[in-house]
Amino acid sequence: MRAARLIKMVLLLQTRTSMTAAELARELEVSERTITRDAQALSEAGVPVYADRGRAGGYRLVGGYRTGLTGLARSEAEALFLSGVPGALREMGLEDTASAARLKVSAALQPSVRDASRTAAQRFHLDAPAWFSEPQTPELLPSVADAVWDDRPIVARYRRDASEVERTLDPYGLVLKAGLWYLCARVSGTEAFRVYRIDRFTAVGHGAERFRREDGFDLPGFWAERAEEFARSVLRAEITVRLSPDGVRRLPYVLDPASAKEALGMSGVPDGQGWVGLTLLMESEEVARAQLRGLGPEVEVLAPASLRERCAEDAVRSAALYR
């Protein structure tokens, strides 16, 4: 514990040139008295650390003492710091590891690129969760993440409908999508890859032996393919509508933009008033009724007849409210 703290103290001084005892104590989560003792221990071990007295004083290293890793350009250093997603690292239990890695790299950089982490963080930020939703960190996520990093199988119990199912899985990768965590895994002993929502896991146990990972597995490619399959699998209802010119403009705001673009690309020729007919693939008539309501009088449902009747009832009820 103390050895790790001493190393971190040296790295902090390499990165920031000079720090007061209070600043070091705050960073290392110890007392200023402990900082004094640690500085003395480093000096006795041959690390050239000394203290300046006075208001502008502090601890510093003599003679540009630094580690031997050098040569990163500014663009490379900024890309390195940009690659971290702090929220995701924190949820996976890797925040301290990532912090130590960034500190080591910062300490090794030339002074001209040492502020790369700050300049990148000031310019780019990833906010993964969706609007108007409270992100929830699955309790078992750190355990699953450990297995992913270590290539160890897991025995997972997860909720499926009203029951629980147990599977032995080879965990290949984690995906954070709109605030939800997913595990891409191969069912052990088979060639089948599946996707699991981690917040549905109720128990996770680690296997003793590592599994052999397929060299050609492409996590982004796999996720993109499965995401497209999922999106198409839920679009089971075929809805025929007419849209006004304003309805055409607003359609991507009430439906999935990609689905709206595809449907508009196959629309018919506008009539004399600019209205066009097109077919929409949607999850269900109930979902279509709710989403198309957002277009108001700019859409007319033509088929199926059951949905047209329900939309007509909604229109009558709405008109009655405004009489």
Side-chain angles (χ1 to χ4, degrees), residues 116-179:
S117 61
R118 180 179 59 81
T119 58
Q122 287 175 339
R123 289 163 173 79
F124 300 97
H125 173 65
L126 174 62
D127 184 11
W131 287 104
F132 312 117
S133 63
E134 186 68 27
Q136 299 291 332
T137 302
E139 181 180 351
L140 295 173
L141 176 60
S143 182
V144 176
D146 286 344
V148 170
W149 285 113
D150 209 24
D151 288 344
R152 292 192 182 276
I154 60 173
V155 179
R157 291 187 63 82
Y158 65 96
R159 296 187 301 274
R160 189 171 68 181
D161 299 325
S163 61
E164 284 194 359
V165 179
E166 184 173 288
R167 291 283 186 272
T168 301
L169 306 172
D170 296 340
Y172 268 64
L174 292 167
V175 175
L176 177 60
K177 170 70 172 179

Side-chain angles (χ1 to χ4, degrees), residues 71-82:
L72 285 179
R74 168 173 292 276
S75 59
E76 294 170 334
E78 291 181 348
L80 172 64
F81 286 107
L82 181 60

Side-chain angles (χ1 to χ4, degrees), residues 23-246:
E23 290 171 337
L24 285 167
R26 188 164 51 251
E27 287 282 351
L28 300 175
E29 299 180 348
V30 295
S31 67
E32 293 186 36
R33 186 184 297 271
T34 299
I35 293 299
T36 301
R37 289 198 298 264
D38 285 352
Q40 180 65 30
L42 286 171
S43 180
E44 292 174 355
V47 177
V49 58
Y50 74 98
D52 282 331
R53 304 295 180 182
R55 294 186 61 183
Y59 289 94
R60 65 177 67 239
L61 294 171
V62 178
Y65 182 89
R66 57 186 291 111
T67 59
L69 176 63
T70 57
L72 285 179
R74 168 173 292 276
S75 59
E76 294 170 334
E78 291 181 348
L80 172 64
F81 286 107
L82 181 60
S83 66
V85 184
L89 290 170
R90 181 172 56 254
E91 293 181 11
M92 288 189 289
L94 298 174
E95 185 176 30
D96 289 344
T97 302
S99 175
R102 286 193 295 269
L103 181 59
K104 289 178 181 179
V105 174
S106 293
L109 294 176
Q110 297 287 354
S112 60
V113 298
R114 195 168 286 165
D115 66 343
S117 61
R118 180 179 59 81
T119 58
Q122 287 175 339
R123 289 163 173 79
F124 300 97
H125 173 65
L126 174 62
D127 184 11
W131 287 104
F132 312 117
S133 63
E134 186 68 27
Q136 299 291 332
T137 302
E139 181 180 351
L140 295 173
L141 176 60
S143 182
V144 176
D146 286 344
V148 170
W149 285 113
D150 209 24
D151 288 344
R152 292 192 182 276
I154 60 173
V155 179
R157 291 187 63 82
Y158 65 96
R159 296 187 301 274
R160 189 171 68 181
D161 299 325
S163 61
E164 284 194 359
V165 179
E166 184 173 288
R167 291 283 186 272
T168 301
L169 306 172
D170 296 340
Y172 268 64
L174 292 167
V175 175
L176 177 60
K177 170 70 172 179
L180 293 176
W181 283 95
Y182 297 87
L183 173 67
C184 301
R186 181 177 60 191
V187 180
S188 296
T190 74
E191 299 299 319
F193 281 87
R194 296 177 182 172
V195 176
Y196 300 86
R197 268 182 58 166
I198 294 180
D199 60 359
R200 293 178 181 168
F201 284 7
T202 59
V204 172
H206 289 195
E209 303 293 330
R210 289 184 171 88
F211 67 87
R212 183 171 181 177
R213 177 181 289 265
E214 290 186 13
D215 292 337
F217 181 76
D218 174 20
L219 179 59
F222 171 79
W223 176 259
E225 180 181 327
R226 289 304 172 91
E228 183 177 354
E229 289 177 3
F230 173 76
R232 293 191 177 280
S233 70
V234 300
L235 302 179
R236 302 186 183 94
E238 190 172 284
I239 313 297
T240 304
V241 301
R242 289 176 66 239
L243 288 174
S244 71
D246 192 40

